[in-house]
């Protein structure tokens, strides 16, 4: 029967490659409709204030202005810009704390009003004519300050002053007994920075309201179907009156638009309703920085009990994260931080407590890794400390304590596969781990070191959140295959890999498959692209739909070929025992058509989950005179389950490494004393450039998880998680100084060197 895969595991031509390379691909910012207006937003200059008076008459009188929106003439329905309302499982309740516009602004950049005009220039001029009188309110920027009893309450909360959502508590075994049985106890606190997704395409939406009241929104969202629900709630419309689609691509996401694209969609819709014309809203880069979600900053504290031989007996972790002015995903991120942080190592006794806190800063939400990079910088730094204190090889102490299939852990599903040990072995070999600690000559200016970090992640959000996928697969009358999936393509190769899966199941050449995606009107419900889930979960739905269609084809073919002993290969249906008895899929499809039948497969799945594992290694140089850290090489060994398209997997892994490098070495949004961002552009934000990228050695390990289609696991976020601790641990190996705070800027490292003398 089946030999090797014909399409799976092959580097087929990426479906969007040529049109993107030629500049022909369409993005939301390219959209232009007849009579389209341009929307711009007036944003708060204050970090916390009440609007006492707002006068828009001068703006409305400016020639070319067609509509001005404020809290006085728009929806007063509360919502959450993230998909929390669609994913939170009862009895937990989603936190909905935002209005489209409000009479109170809670951070510098919060929306005050918006204008639609015949040109962007006129819209910007109109913003200057809106007169606003504010009453300044007390503001707070640090989560510990915000939790104090006398701190001003930013939103009404139940768990404690400015504590948002419900506190997360995870517990396994007996934590007290675990510490009592330890020979050593280590306790450290680590401080995390604010990181920005820095995706190339800024937040954008185009909205058009038809004469009949139907709303069409072209959007940069990662989740078209959930976004439709959020818009329906805001504007009190039935789902049937709203269509959300990507047209057809997104210029990166990294979590920043799981749900709305900040507020681009509802602002565009509101202005379109008010003006009666299509409206395009495109954030400029500064708006993207100050008014769309960031990664959470905050604090992680770890306490670990260890035997003399390096065995962990107890692990206690806590986190306090800065959620900013609105909840977004701040009720969920602390849970992932704890769950992933406690899952990488096997330990009978573990406990975690964590929560987010409101402050008067830009909201924090989803970003690649979703709390995991914060957890693993702290955990993998402390594991390195423990190894050095006990005189144990850091690689061996990880090998001794790592989670393996069959052992109990805190996650509510089984660990059925792991390629972690293979990742560590191959990664250590590739970096030259045996050279560690022996690379420096005494008193040299440039010091060199090697470090590592490991981790695990998820392949989707089940069972922590609502997570499911649907897909249609239709056999066309010429025997070609059409896939319909609601998941978008953000540059991650989604449409290529989903098409590969359909081609493999239906045994047709890859070129015979086409795909419709990310359109709520032509695809079934799909929770969207997040949590490293598209290949694993959306792929499972496509495989299920393909198998359904295949079953229909073979059943129909059996009536034509006189036997049920059939198989499919390369676009033909064969009799298994007599290969000469065959029919092409195109003839079967056409015959069925003539008889009034089409093969339409339906895939409806609630996915399981699978843990991808990874080991990252870094070799760095540190300039003792300036504090500058140069990354020489990163080895990124990842257990991906099965690489459907190896080049796409490598691209994902390399991108994650670069994002992890930025987190480790330079990316950090800071605020002035009045709560204004200081790093709101690519010029002011220390993002790695092509000149900073070191040699990256990606190693694909395939452990074939039984729950994933063809053995797949999620890979979208993994390589961004452990890069920072690998680099930080390499810096320690180079100069013997441990840093408990990111990023390792030249200033911070230089001070560390100076203070250590």
């Amino acid at each position: 029967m089946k030999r090797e895969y014909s399409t799976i595991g092959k580097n087929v031509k990426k479906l969007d490659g040529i049109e993107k390379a030629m500049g022909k691909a369409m993005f939301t910012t390219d959209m232009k409709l007849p009579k389209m207006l341009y929307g711009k937003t007036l944003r708060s200059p204050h970090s916390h204030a009440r609007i006492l008076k707002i006068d828009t008459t001068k703006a409305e009188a400016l020639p070319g202005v067609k509509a001005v929106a404020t809290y006085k003439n728009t929806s007063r329905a509360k919502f959450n810009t993230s998909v929390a309302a669609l994913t939170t499982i009862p009895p937990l309740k989603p936190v909905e704390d935002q209005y489209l516009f409000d009479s109170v602004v809670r951070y510098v950049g919060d929306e005050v009003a918006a204008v639609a005009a015949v040109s962007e220039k006129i819209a910007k001029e109109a913003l200057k004519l809106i007169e606003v009188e504010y009453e300044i309110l007390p503001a707070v920027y640090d989560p510990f300050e915000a939790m104090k009893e006398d701190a001003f309450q930013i939103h009404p909360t139940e768990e404690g002053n400015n504590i948002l959502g419900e506190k997360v508590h995870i517990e396994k075994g007996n934590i007290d007994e675990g510490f009592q049985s330890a020979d050593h106890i280590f306790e450290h606190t680590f401080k995390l920075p604010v990181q920005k997704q820095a995706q190339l395409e800024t937040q954008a939406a185009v909205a058009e309201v038809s004469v009949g009241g139907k709303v069409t929104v072209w959007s940069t969202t990662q989740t078209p179907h959930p976004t439709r629900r959020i818009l329906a709630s805001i504007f009190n419309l039935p789902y049937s009156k709203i269509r959300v689609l990507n047209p057809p691509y997104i210029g990166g996401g990294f979590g920043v638009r799981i749900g709305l694209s900040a507020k681009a969609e509802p602002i565009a819709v509101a202005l379109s309703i008010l003006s009666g014309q299509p409206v395009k809203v495109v954030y400029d880069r500064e708006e993207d920085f100050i008014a769309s979600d960031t990664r959470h900053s905050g604090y992680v504290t770890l306490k670990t009990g260890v035997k003399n031989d390096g065995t962990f007996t107890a692990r206690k972790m806590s986190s306090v994260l800065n959620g900013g002015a609105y909840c977004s995903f701040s009720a969920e991120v602390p849970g992932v931080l704890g769950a992933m942080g406690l899952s990488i190592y096997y330990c009978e006794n573990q406990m975690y407590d964590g929560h987010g806190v409101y402050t008067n800063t830009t909201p924090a939400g989803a970003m690649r890794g979703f709390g995991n990079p914060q957890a693993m910088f702290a955990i993998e730094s402390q594991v390195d400390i423990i190894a050095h204190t006990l005189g144990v090889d850091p690689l061996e102490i990880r090998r001794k304590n790592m989670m393996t299939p069959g052992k109990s852990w805190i996650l509510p599903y089984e660990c059925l596969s792991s390629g972690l040990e293979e990742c560590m072995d191959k990664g250590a070999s590739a970096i030259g781990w045996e050279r560690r600690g022996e690379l420096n000559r005494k008193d040299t200016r440039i010091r060199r070191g090697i470090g590592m970090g490991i981790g695990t992640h998820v392949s989707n959000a089940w069972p922590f959140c609502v997570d499911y996928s649907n897909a249609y697969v239709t056999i066309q009358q010429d025997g070609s295959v059409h896939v319909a999936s609601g998941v978008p393509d953000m540059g991650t190769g989604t449409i290529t890999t989903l098409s590969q899966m359909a081609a493999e199941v239906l045994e047709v050449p890859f070129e015979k498959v086409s795909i419709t995606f990310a359109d709520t009107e032509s695809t079934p419900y799909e929770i969207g692209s997040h949590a490293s889930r598209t290949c694993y979960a959306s792929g499972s739905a496509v495989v299920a739909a393909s198998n359904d269609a295949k079953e229909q084809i073979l059943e129909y073919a059996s009536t034509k070929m006189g036997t049920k002993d059939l198989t499919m290969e390369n676009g033909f249906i064969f009799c298994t025992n007599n290969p000469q008895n065959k029919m092409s899929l195109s003839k079967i499809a056409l015959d069925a058509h003539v008889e009034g039948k089409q093969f339409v497969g339906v895939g409806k799945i609630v996915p399981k989950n699978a843990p991808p594992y990874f080991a990252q290694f870094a070799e760095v140089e540190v300039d003792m005179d300036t504090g500058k850290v140069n990354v020489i090489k990163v080895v990124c060994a990842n257990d991906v389950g099965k690489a459907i398209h190896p080049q796409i997997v490598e691209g994902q892994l390399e991108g994650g490494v670069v994002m992890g490098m930025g987190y480790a070495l330079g990316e950090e949004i800071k605020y002035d004393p009045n709560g204004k961002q200081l790093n709101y552009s690519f010029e002011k934000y220390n993002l790695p450039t092509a000149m900073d990228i070191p040699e990256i050695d990606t190693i694909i390990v395939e452990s074939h998880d039984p729950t994933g289609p063809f053995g797949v696991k999620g890979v979208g976020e993994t390589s961004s998680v452990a890069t920072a601790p690998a680099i930080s641990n390499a810096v320690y190996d180079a100069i013997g100084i441990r840093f408990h705070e990111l990023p390792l800027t030249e200033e911070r490292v230089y001070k560390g060197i100076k203070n250590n003398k």
Side-chain angles (χ1 to χ4, degrees):
M1 293 291 291
K2 185 71 180 177
R3 322 68 43 199
E4 292 185 354
Y5 293 127
S6 57
T7 306
I8 298 299
K10 305 292 193 298
N11 291 319
V12 299
K13 186 184 293 182
K14 202 161 174 271
L15 289 177
D16 55 343
I18 292 178
E19 61 179 336
K20 284 184 175 175
M22 295 179 67
K24 300 289 186 182
M26 177 73 81
F27 296 85
T28 301
T29 48
D30 298 318
M31 289 291 299
K32 191 168 185 180
L33 300 175
K35 298 183 179 179
M36 188 177 76
L37 304 175
Y38 297 83
K40 296 302 294 182
T41 303
L42 180 67
R43 301 189 176 279
S44 171
H46 306 296
S47 56
H48 203 187
R50 182 176 288 110
I51 297 174
L52 299 178
K53 181 182 177 183
I54 182 165
D55 187 344
T56 62
T57 53
K58 292 181 180 176
E60 290 167 332
L62 184 69
V65 171
K66 301 296 183 181
V68 180
T70 70
Y71 73 90
K72 293 182 176 181
N73 61 353
T74 54
S75 167
R76 296 299 294 160
K78 275 191 172 181
F79 62 97
N80 185 325
T81 55
S82 78
V83 296
L86 273 292
T87 55
T88 303
I89 298 175
L92 295 176
K93 297 179 181 177
V95 178
E96 297 184 304
D97 55 10
Q98 281 183 278
Y99 295 107
L100 181 50
F101 302 98
D102 196 7
S103 58
V104 175
V105 289
R106 297 176 174 86
Y107 70 98
V108 175
D110 209 349
E111 294 80 10
V112 175
V115 170
V118 296
S119 71
E120 189 171 323
K121 182 180 179 182
I122 293 175
K124 288 181 177 178
E125 286 299 314
L127 294 183
K128 299 175 185 175
L129 300 176
I130 298 174
E131 297 175 354
V132 188
E133 184 179 336
Y134 296 98
E135 174 193 3
I136 305 302
L137 301 175
V140 63
Y141 310 111
D142 180 81
F144 286 111
E145 293 296 318
M147 288 191 290
K148 291 181 178 177
E149 289 186 2
D150 59 349
F152 195 94
Q153 196 170 55
I154 299 170
H155 295 277
T157 56
E158 297 179 357
E159 294 274 354
N161 205 30
N162 287 319
I163 294 177
L164 54 80
E166 296 190 25
K167 293 180 179 178
V168 179
H169 177 76
I170 301 171
E171 188 170 351
K172 174 178 178 283
N174 188 315
I175 195 74
D176 292 332
E177 289 182 2
F179 281 118
Q180 288 169 7
S181 64
D183 296 315
H184 309 271
I185 294 177
F186 298 84
E187 186 166 4
H188 304 92
T189 294
F190 298 85
K191 186 178 180 183
L192 294 318
V194 180
Q195 187 184 21
K196 185 62 188 162
Q197 292 84 354
Q199 77 293 339
L200 277 184
E201 186 182 23
T202 60
Q203 312 288 2
V206 177
E208 181 181 46
V209 182
S210 73
V211 174
K214 182 172 181 177
V215 178
T216 301
V217 182
W218 292 265
S219 159
T220 52
T221 180
Q222 297 174 225
T223 55
H225 285 272
T227 292
R228 178 176 64 162
R229 185 270 177 196
I230 301 172
L231 294 175
S233 174
I234 294 173
F235 295 100
N236 192 29
L237 292 169
Y239 286 15
S240 59
K241 286 285 189 183
I242 300 179
R243 179 188 185 188
V244 177
L245 67 161
N246 298 138
Y249 301 118
I250 305 172
F254 311 117
V256 74
R257 28 200 177 213
I258 303 174
L260 301 179
S261 306
K263 287 185 182 175
E265 292 93 347
I267 290 173
V269 173
L271 290 172
S272 186
I273 291 173
L274 290 171
S275 67
Q277 294 178 231
V279 176
K280 177 157 78 173
V281 172
V282 178
Y283 284 24
D284 62 28
R285 186 58 65 184
E286 179 176 346
E287 284 182 295
D288 198 88
F289 264 86
I290 67 172
S292 67
D293 290 356
T294 68
R295 191 187 295 286
H296 287 79
S297 61
Y299 303 85
V300 175
T301 298
L302 289 163
K303 183 178 178 181
T304 303
V306 189
K307 288 281 194 184
N308 284 327
D309 66 357
T311 303
F312 298 163
T313 63
R315 301 177 68 219
K316 187 176 182 181
M317 181 165 60
S318 64
S319 72
V320 175
L321 300 181
N322 188 341
Y326 299 100
C327 180
S328 185
F329 275 117
S330 291
E332 289 82 7
V333 169
V336 175
L337 190 157
M340 293 299 102
L342 297 185
S343 299
I344 184 60
Y345 294 111
Y346 171 74
C347 183
E348 279 295 333
N349 310 295
Q350 304 195 85
M351 181 184 290
Y352 169 76
D353 289 284
H355 59 81
V357 183
Y358 285 122
T359 66
N360 295 109
T361 59
T362 298
M367 184 173 171
R368 198 176 200 170
F370 205 86
N372 205 354
Q374 293 95 318
M376 296 318 295
F377 169 64
I379 290 168
E380 289 301 272
S381 293
Q382 190 186 60
V383 169
D384 223 52
I385 293 170
I386 294 170
H388 282 90
T389 304
L390 299 183
V392 180
D393 185 332
L395 179 68
E396 295 308 314
I397 199 170
R398 288 176 169 90
R399 201 191 306 275
K400 187 179 191 65
N401 291 284
M402 68 182 182
M403 177 66 194
T404 55
K407 289 183 177 179
S408 65
W409 61 353
I410 56 91
L411 295 176
Y413 51 85
E414 289 183 87
C415 174
L416 297 175
S417 65
S418 172
L420 178 56
E421 190 159 16
E422 187 177 346
C423 289
M424 288 198 286
D425 290 345
K426 290 185 174 178
S429 176
I431 199 73
W433 183 256
E434 70 282 356
R435 300 179 297 133
R436 187 175 174 278
E438 300 176 357
L439 295 171
N440 294 318
R441 290 187 312 233
K442 193 175 182 182
D443 297 330
T444 54
R445 174 180 170 180
I446 305 298
R447 305 289 175 87
R448 186 172 283 216
I450 295 174
M452 69 171 293
I454 64 174
T456 185
H457 200 62
V458 294
S459 292
N460 64 91
W462 179 89
F464 308 105
C465 300
V466 175
D467 190 306
Y468 69 100
S469 292
N470 300 301
Y472 302 145
V473 168
T474 308
I475 310 302
Q476 306 299 299
Q477 288 76 15
D478 64 352
S480 61
V481 175
H482 185 76
V483 177
S485 169
V487 72
D489 193 321
M490 303 182 292
T492 54
T494 298
I495 58 173
T496 303
T497 52
L498 295 188
S499 298
Q500 283 180 269
M501 292 186 193
E504 190 68 46
V505 173
L506 290 164
E507 310 276 2
V508 299
F510 175 71
E511 295 73 19
K512 290 282 187 180
V513 181
S514 59
I515 184 167
T516 293
F517 58 100
D519 182 348
T520 59
E521 202 157 77
S522 57
T523 64
Y525 189 89
E526 158 67 59
I527 202 78
S529 179
H530 63 94
S532 299
R533 69 181 301 283
T534 53
C535 201
Y536 180 88
S538 304
S540 294
V542 169
V543 167
S546 301
N547 278 319
D548 186 21
K550 185 176 184 178
E551 187 175 330
Q552 296 171 38
I553 294 166
L554 293 178
E555 182 179 352
Y556 181 82
S558 68
T559 65
K560 298 291 181 182
M561 299 173 69
T563 176
K564 292 187 177 181
D565 194 10
L566 299 173
T567 188
M568 296 176 67
E569 186 176 333
N570 199 28
F572 283 86
I573 296 95
F574 293 87
C575 175
T576 307
N577 298 323
N578 180 16
Q580 300 304 314
N581 183 9
K582 65 179 182 179
M583 290 183 71
S584 68
L585 179 57
S586 57
K587 178 159 184 10
I588 288 287
L590 189 58
D591 285 355
H593 165 72
V594 172
E595 295 177 9
K597 180 179 176 64
Q598 185 172 20
F599 309 116
V600 181
V602 178
K604 301 182 289 185
I605 63 101
V606 177
K608 299 293 184 182
N609 214 323
Y613 286 96
F614 41 92
Q616 311 274 109
F617 296 80
E619 182 168 348
V620 306
E621 285 183 346
V622 182
D623 188 324
M624 298 295 286
D625 286 354
T626 67
K628 182 173 177 55
V629 177
N630 283 319
V631 180
I632 307 302
K633 180 177 182 178
V634 173
V635 175
C636 171
N638 272 235
D639 163 21
V640 306
K642 173 66 182 176
I644 301 297
H645 189 296
Q647 286 183 344
I648 288 177
V649 171
E650 289 171 2
Q652 286 281 290
L653 297 181
E654 290 176 1
V657 166
V658 175
M659 190 167 275
M661 280 181 53
Y663 193 52
L665 297 178
E667 293 188 47
E668 181 177 23
I669 289 177
K670 294 182 177 180
Y671 292 86
D672 73 10
N674 296 315
K676 181 180 180 180
Q677 276 194 24
L678 297 171
N679 319 88
Y680 48 78
S681 69
F682 282 170
E683 181 185 9
K684 297 179 178 179
Y685 183 69
N686 194 9
L687 199 66
T689 70
M691 299 296 290
D692 301 309
I693 311 304
E695 175 187 355
I696 300 175
D697 187 353
T698 57
I699 298 173
I700 293 175
V701 172
E702 296 185 326
S703 62
H704 292 270
D705 195 88
T707 65
F710 304 100
V712 158
K713 297 182 179 184
V715 68
E717 299 170 277
T718 53
S719 61
S720 65
V721 174
T723 305
I727 290 173
S728 179
N729 291 337
V731 169
Y732 177 81
D733 185 50
I735 63 176
I737 300 173
R738 178 70 59 185
F739 292 91
H740 294 243
E741 181 179 0
L742 292 177
L744 303 182
T745 59
E746 290 182 52
E747 179 184 11
R748 186 164 285 137
V749 174
Y750 175 75
K751 286 182 178 177
I753 293 170
K754 191 175 180 181
N755 294 335
N756 197 51
K757 287 182 178 177

